[in-house]
Amino acid sequence: MTNDDTHRPTGTFPLTGHIQRLLQRVRASDRRRPLVWDGLLTTFWVLFAVIDVSSGGWRTVAVDPHVPESLVLTMSVAFSAPLLWRRSHPLAVLVFMAPFSLANGWTGAAIQAALLQEIAVFHVALRKPVRTLAWSGAIVLVPLAASSGRSPGDWDRIFVPHLYAFVLAALVGIVVRTRKEYTEALVDRADRLERERDQQAQLAAAAERTRIAREMHDIIGHNLAVITGLADGGAYAAAKSPERAAQALDAIGTTSRQALSELRRLLGVLRDHPDLADRTPQPTLDDIDALVDGVRSAGLPVRLRRRGTPPAVPPTAGRQLTVFRVVQEALTNTLKHAGPGPALAAEVTLTYRPTELEVLITDNGAPHPTAGPPDGPGQGITGLRERASLYDGTLEAARPGTTGWRVRLRLPLEDSPS
């Protein structure tokens, strides 16, 4: 064998590939025009049986070569013509052939067309229950056994070949049926997996859209509220204290740049390749001081208190981001809804306990009309509850009395998200 023979080009296909493609074409043609295929196959076997009779070839294997040709022709047609219904009614075909099988053995003609019964046996094994296959065995073999008993010396010539043919046809039918069912199971499993994959992708996309909407709401809503507060304060102070107006404008610029930076980071994750996206860390508990300072610069006095001892291992980044967003949204609602007033103030209290972190945000302004009861929860509070639930936390938003607003977050410190 030469090197050219051992290294075949990858573009060539083996013989099995050609055979499989040919079989696929035959199956496709059979599915499109089953009656045409059945008619052609039946016609072939009828012609084969008639030619065998007209040429006298049946006499070479016959036990009695003097059987009338008219009877032989009748039996040959009876064994071949019913094959037209072999797929729809295989057991009925065998029942129809049974008397002619008995006559074939009884007269000693032993024509080869009798083996066409095994085609119907194949379809019984392929499409019917095992019990039906046992009945087909009785229908095929009992007449042969009865006719062979008439001349025991011809047992090997009449009964045994049909017994072997029946076993072979039944085994082939069972093998083909098993492979067909296995292939159908694989196709069904692949279809189900594909549907489940599409459903999972849709659920993941919906969850991601919700998360993005939540982030956009928190970022834009808070920064716009701070900018609005700074602009209102700057406009009020412009006439009496120009330097305070300049400070307000400077703070507006700083807040705007911070908002744009956060938006670029969020949109960059969606637009860019993951390796090229901005990897600026998300806000943590350490950024709450800067958040409170920004709200103070917008004109809202905020007091920040911490109680208890922080754990040796800081909470996970997701928990810290949840706390930051809750404080951010609560103070934003105060800026937008609490109303003006010289005594307006807010307080943020972070309490560390052995197993949980509690965050309490209160203000003494007017009730927030769009943040919670009695008019129903707003989008911001709903998003905060979703954030808290991701880590088995709870969030309450309610009026402590006739005035003011209170938001309480309880978040377990253990990393066991539901």
Side-chain angles (χ1 to χ4, degrees):
M1 182 179 292
T2 63
N3 291 335
D4 293 338
D5 294 331
T6 57
H7 299 284
R8 286 181 145 182
T10 56
T12 59
F13 294 93
L15 179 60
T16 54
H18 293 288
I19 296 176
Q20 289 177 358
R21 287 193 299 276
L22 179 60
L23 291 176
Q24 289 175 357
R25 293 193 186 99
V26 171
R27 295 191 189 101
S29 177
D30 186 22
R31 286 192 295 268
R32 289 193 302 268
R33 302 178 182 87
L35 292 179
V36 173
W37 183 257
D38 290 344
L40 290 175
L41 189 64
T42 303
T43 302
F44 170 79
W45 288 117
V46 170
L47 291 176
F48 174 81
V50 171
I51 291 173
D52 182 55
V53 175
S54 60
S55 64
W58 62 277
R59 291 188 175 90
T60 58
V61 294
V63 177
D64 182 5
H66 302 292
V67 178
E69 286 191 0
S70 58
L71 177 60
V72 175
L73 180 61
T74 301
M75 291 188 295
S76 298
V77 174
F79 284 128
S80 55
L83 292 179
L84 184 64
W85 299 277
R86 72 193 186 283
R87 287 195 285 194
S88 58
H89 303 89
L91 194 63
V93 169
L94 289 177
V95 172
F96 176 82
M97 293 180 178
F100 298 96
S101 177
L102 178 62
N104 182 44
W106 193 269
T107 60
I111 57 176
Q112 301 299 309
L115 292 173
L116 295 178
Q117 296 177 98
E118 313 311 331
I119 297 179
V121 170
F122 168 81
H123 286 280
V124 169
L126 183 63
R127 294 178 170 84
K128 301 297 181 180
V130 177
R131 183 175 60 182
T132 306
L133 180 61
W135 278 108
S136 68
I139 294 172
V140 172
L141 298 178
V142 169
L144 292 172
S147 59
S148 299
R150 180 171 176 269
S151 54
D154 299 324
W155 182 270
D156 293 341
R157 300 175 61 184
I158 297 178
F159 182 81
V160 174
H162 286 273
L163 175 63
Y164 290 158
F166 173 83
V167 173
L168 179 62
L171 289 178
V172 172
I174 292 173
V175 170
V176 173
R177 177 176 184 167
T178 303
R179 181 174 178 82
K180 181 180 178 181
E181 292 176 350
Y182 177 71
T183 303
E184 291 175 350
L186 289 179
V187 172
D188 179 68
R189 182 170 180 267
D191 291 341
R192 284 188 285 106
L193 289 176
E194 186 175 358
R195 288 194 298 269
E196 291 175 2
R197 182 194 63 188
D198 294 340
Q199 293 173 356
Q200 292 294 332
Q202 293 174 1
L203 292 175
E208 186 66 11
R209 285 195 298 268
T210 302
R211 185 189 70 82
I212 293 170
R214 193 164 53 228
E215 289 289 328
M216 295 285 286
H217 173 273
D218 293 342
I219 294 172
I220 296 176
H222 170 74
N223 287 286
L224 286 180
V226 172
I227 291 172
T228 301
L230 290 170
D232 292 342
Y236 177 78
K240 298 182 179 180
S241 179
E243 66 277 3
R244 293 293 300 274
Q247 292 176 3
L249 291 175
D250 183 66
I252 289 175
T254 302
T255 304
S256 300
R257 285 189 292 271
Q258 180 182 356
L260 286 174
S261 177
E262 291 191 51
L263 285 176
R264 287 194 186 100
R265 176 185 55 77
L266 180 61
L267 296 176
V269 172
L270 301 176
R271 181 180 62 251
D272 298 336
H273 191 276
D275 297 334
L276 304 177
D278 185 7
R279 298 187 179 276
T280 304
Q282 292 273 31
T284 63
L285 294 177
D286 296 334
D287 296 309
I288 292 181
D289 295 274
L291 173 66
V292 170
D293 291 338
V295 175
R296 287 178 185 144
S297 66
L300 175 64
V302 182
R303 181 182 180 186
L304 177 61
R305 296 194 299 174
R306 290 181 172 87
R307 296 175 179 175
T309 303
V313 179
T316 59
R319 282 177 166 76
Q320 296 191 52
L321 177 62
T322 298
V323 173
F324 182 90
R325 294 303 187 199
V326 168
V327 175
Q328 184 185 58
E329 178 66 18
L331 295 179
T332 300
N333 285 337
T334 300
L335 283 172
K336 292 192 297 184
H337 306 298
L344 179 62
E347 183 175 293
V348 179
T349 304
L350 277 69
T351 304
Y352 291 95
R353 296 192 176 93
T355 60
E356 72 173 9
L357 171 62
E358 181 184 271
V359 184
L360 181 65
I361 307 100
T362 60
D363 64 63
N364 60 355
H368 303 181
T370 61
D375 297 328
Q379 182 178 0
I381 295 299
T382 302
L384 295 183
R385 286 198 175 99
E386 292 174 353
R387 286 182 184 274
S389 66
L390 289 175
Y391 299 96
D392 292 335
T394 59
L395 185 132
E396 302 170 2
R399 300 172 185 172
T402 57
T403 61
W405 194 257
R406 179 182 63 197
V407 176
R408 186 192 305 273
L409 169 69
R410 289 187 176 93
L411 202 64
L413 293 176
E414 293 80 4
D415 189 13
S416 59
S418 58

